Amino acid sequence: MIEKTIITTVYEYNSVAELEKEDQELVKKAKEITHNSYAPYSHFHVGAALILENGKIITGTNQENAAYPSGLCAERVAIFWANSQYPDIAVKTIAIAVKTNTGFLKSPAPPCGSCRQVLLETETRFKTPIKIILAGNEKIQLIKNAKSLLPINFDENFLKKA
Ligand code: THU
């Protein structure tokens, strides 16, 4: 038996002012766009703002549905929209913020497994790390690439015939 340890590095900040200017702007946009979230069932309004390598900023929000599994998370709405409009441009950074009935979360919510899988595929596809910023009001977490959030992952290599 071999024991393997996987280390994930997360950078934590107390204030958005500690981030780079571009990242501050993305957090601002992720927060603003939560307003457009359609979350009548969970009341968990998620906003995502990403910037592409060409400087274009794209936002997305979670879109729920009475048939629950038909809805989609904010991160995937933003990434799929970005990849549809700009199929040749890498995603550089994505910021995520959540607003509930009591305001923005103090501690940030990390992306779900499916969003991590999509972030990873996008990162691999464009061969460029995607910086992920999880923005809470009292704590901000920064992860330098999607692989760190999904260290043991499924990818295209498993689809190749042996
Ligand atoms: N949600 C996201 O938008 N992103 C995530 O990564 C986690 C969950 C949404 C889906 C659903 O509309 C609501 O939050 C509650 O799960």
Side-chain angles (χ1 to χ4, degrees):
M1 193 272 277
I2 302 170
E3 182 179 320
K4 291 185 175 177
T5 303
I6 298 168
I7 296 173
T8 293
T9 306
V10 180
Y11 301 85
E12 288 194 356
Y13 305 85
N14 296 322
S15 152
V16 78
E18 294 175 59
L19 300 176
E20 290 171 20
K21 280 277 172 284
E22 184 176 284
D23 296 346
Q24 290 186 28
E25 181 65 16
L26 286 179
V27 168
K28 187 165 168 262
K29 287 209 161 9
K31 284 185 161 179
E32 281 169 4
I33 204 69
T34 57
H35 184 68
N36 292 359
S37 151
Y38 178 65
Y41 307 105
S42 71
H43 305 289
F44 196 75
H45 300 271
V46 187
L50 63 81
I51 186 161
L52 299 173
E53 282 294 353
N54 65 1
K56 176 87 185 161
I57 292 178
I58 285 168
T59 53
T61 60
N62 55 329
Q63 298 294 314
E64 298 187 349
N65 194 284
Y68 291 177
S70 302
L72 198 62
C73 294
E75 297 90 324
R76 277 177 288 162
V77 168
I79 291 168
F80 289 154
W81 171 254
N83 290 344
S84 298
Q85 301 303 310
Y86 301 92
D88 302 320
I89 315 282
V91 177
K92 189 177 163 196
T93 309
I94 184 168
I96 302 146
V98 179
K99 195 174 189 184
T100 65
N101 295 339
T102 53
F104 288 105
L105 294 185
K106 287 181 186 158
S107 253
C112 76
S114 297
C115 288
R116 292 176 196 216
Q117 184 72 29
V118 169
L119 282 161
L120 181 75
E121 179 94 14
T122 309
E123 181 169 280
T124 309
R125 171 179 173 182
F126 294 107
K127 299 181 181 61
T128 306
I130 301 177
K131 193 198 310 181
I132 299 156
I133 299 167
L134 311 175
N137 257 6
E138 293 178 7
K139 182 165 87 179
I140 294 140
Q141 292 178 315
L142 186 153
I143 300 104
K144 287 196 171 170
N145 54 66
K147 183 90 192 284
S148 300
L149 281 182
L150 204 59
I152 300 175
N153 55 72
F154 184 84
D155 64 20
E156 59 174 338
N157 295 315
F158 296 100
L159 300 175
K160 290 178 186 153
K161 291 199 178 103

